[in-house]
C-alpha cells in the first residue's frame, strides 16, 4: 500500500482568503507554511482512490504522479463526510465522462443537489463505502447545508480503514468521538492519520472563529487525543489543521511536544509506503 498526502488543512486552507490571523499571515509571508485542504491518495495494487474531493483537487491530482491525466476516466472518490471542503472538488472534476463516488447513504442524501448540478456534465455512479474501505462512524455532525432530512445521526462522518491484506491504514480527518470500534482499528493499523483540527478545546472560542468549543464543532482536540495516539503501535500523524492551530507555524513549540510522543504532523505531498 502506498499513500500520498494531498493536503493537510481544514476548511478554508492555510492561508484562508479572508483571515489575517498569525497562521494565515505567516503562510502569506512564508509560502512553505501553506497547506491545501486535507485529502489523500491511496494505492492498493493497481487501484488508486482519492479520499475526499477538496476545492484544491485539480492541483492535488496534478501533483500525484500515480494519477496521470486520463480523459477516459477519473479516479474513484471515497468520501469521509459531506462537508463542503471535502466535496466541492467534485464540481471541479466535471470534465470527466463519469464520476465514481463511494459514500454512506447519509452523505449521498446530502449531496443530492450537487449531483443534480453535475448530471449534465459528469453523472455520478455511486458505490457503498465497503467496496473500498471499512467505514467506522466517528460523528453524527451534519453539514450546515444539510440540517434537514436524511438519517438522524448515522453515517454522517466516517473514519476509513484501508488494507491490502497485510498493511492497514486508518484515515480520520474529522473525529468527534474515540469509540471502542475506532480504538480497535487504530490498535491494529500500521499507520493512522487523524483529526488535528484544533490544538485545544477552547481554540475556536479563544480565536473568535466560533462560539463553540472544538468538541462542540465535532473535532476532538489534539490535547485530548495525543496521549492515546502516542500509545498506539503504528505510525501516527495529525492532519486537517485549522488556520488557527499553532502547528501551522513550523517553529511552534507544539511540534516538540508531539515529537517527544513520537507523533508526526502530516505534510502536503508526503508519501508513505506501508
Amino acid at each position: 500500500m502506498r499513500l500520498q498526502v494531498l493536503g493537510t488543512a481544514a476548511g478554508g486552507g492555510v492561508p484562508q482568503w479572508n483571515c489575517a490571523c498569525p497562521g494565515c499571515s505567516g503562510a502569506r509571508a512564508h509560502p512553505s507554511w501553506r497547506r491545501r485542504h486535507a485529502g489523500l491518495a491511496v494505492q492498493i495494487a493497481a487501484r488508486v482512490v482519492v479520499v475526499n474531493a477538496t476545492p484544491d483537487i485539480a492541483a492535488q491530482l496534478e501533483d500525484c504522479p500515480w494519477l496521470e491525466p486520463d480523459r477516459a476516466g477519473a479516479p474513484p472518490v471515497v468520501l469521509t463526510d459531506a462537508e463542503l471542503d471535502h466535496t466541492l472538488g467534485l464540481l471541479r472534476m466535471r470534465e470527466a465522462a463519469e464520476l465514481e463516488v463511494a459514500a454512506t447513504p447519509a452523505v449521498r442524501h446530502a449531496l443530492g443537489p450537487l449531483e443534480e448540478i453535475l448530471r449534465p456534465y459528469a453523472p455520478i455512479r455511486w458505490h457503498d463505502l465497503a467496496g473500498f474501505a471499512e467505514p467506522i462512524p466517528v460523528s453524527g455532525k451534519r453539514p450546515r447545508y444539510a440540517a434537514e432530512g436524511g438519517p438522524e445521526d448515522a453515517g454522517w462522518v466516517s473514519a476509513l480503514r484501508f488494507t491490502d491484506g497485510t498493511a492497514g491504514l486508518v484515515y480520520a480527518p474529522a473525529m468527534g468521538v474515540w469509540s471502542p470500534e475506532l480504538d480497535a482499528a487504530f490498535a491494529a493499523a500500521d499507520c493512522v492519520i487523524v483529526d488535528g483540527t484544533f490544538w485545544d478545546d477552547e481554540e475556536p472560542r479563544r480565536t473568535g472563529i466560533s462560539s463553540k468549543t472544538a468538541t462542540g464543532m465535532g473535532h476532538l482536540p489534539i490535547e485530548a487525543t495525543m496521549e492515546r495516539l502516542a500509545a498506539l503501535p503504528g505510525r501516527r500523524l495529525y492532519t486537517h489543521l485549522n488556520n488557527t492551530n499553532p502547528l501551522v507555524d513550523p517553529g511552534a513549540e507544539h511540534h516538540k511536544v508531539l515529537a517527544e510522543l513520537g507523533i508526526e504532523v502530516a505534510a502536503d505531498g508526503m508519501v508513505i509506503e506501508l
Side-chain angles (χ1 to χ4, degrees), residues 48-233:
V48 181
V49 302
V50 173
V51 182
N52 293 333
T54 82
D56 302 312
I57 191 67
Q60 290 172 329
L61 296 181
E62 285 278 346
D63 288 348
C64 184
W66 328 323
L67 295 169
E68 296 185 5
D70 182 1
R71 284 190 177 273
V77 176
V78 183
L79 298 176
T80 60
D81 53 67
E83 293 290 348
L84 292 177
D85 49 311
H86 293 159
T87 58
L88 281 176
L90 293 172
L91 295 172
R92 184 64 180 84
M93 297 172 75
R94 68 187 181 278
E95 294 86 359
E98 179 183 68
L99 293 174
E100 292 189 73
V101 181
T104 63
V107 170
R108 179 174 178 176
H109 170 82
L111 294 178
L114 184 145
E115 181 179 14
E116 289 302 312
I117 292 171
L118 276 170
R119 195 181 304 280
Y121 303 93
I124 295 178
R125 181 151 56 98
W126 293 98
H127 300 273
D128 292 336
L129 278 179
F132 295 85
E134 176 192 348
I136 303 169
V138 290
S139 174
K141 179 190 175 187
R142 295 166 173 260
R144 276 185 269 176
Y145 71 85
E148 303 293 335
E152 285 301 313
D153 56 8
W156 285 104
V157 185
S158 303
L160 302 175
R161 179 179 179 269
F162 294 89
T163 181
D164 60 3
T166 303
L169 159 76
V170 179
Y171 184 65
M175 197 165 69
V177 296
W178 188 309
S179 66
E181 185 181 6
L182 186 62
D183 197 39
F186 281 163
D190 299 279
C191 180
V192 298
I193 305 177
V194 304
D195 190 341
T197 308
F198 300 111
W199 180 266
D200 64 83
D201 207 32
E202 286 296 322
E203 183 181 318
R205 297 202 290 206
R206 187 174 62 253
T207 58
I209 66 167
S210 177
S211 60
K212 298 180 180 179
T213 62
T215 50
M217 294 179 69
H219 298 282
L220 292 178
I222 290 173
E223 281 192 344
T225 62
M226 61 184 179
E227 296 290 346
R228 296 182 73 175
L229 206 62
L232 298 176

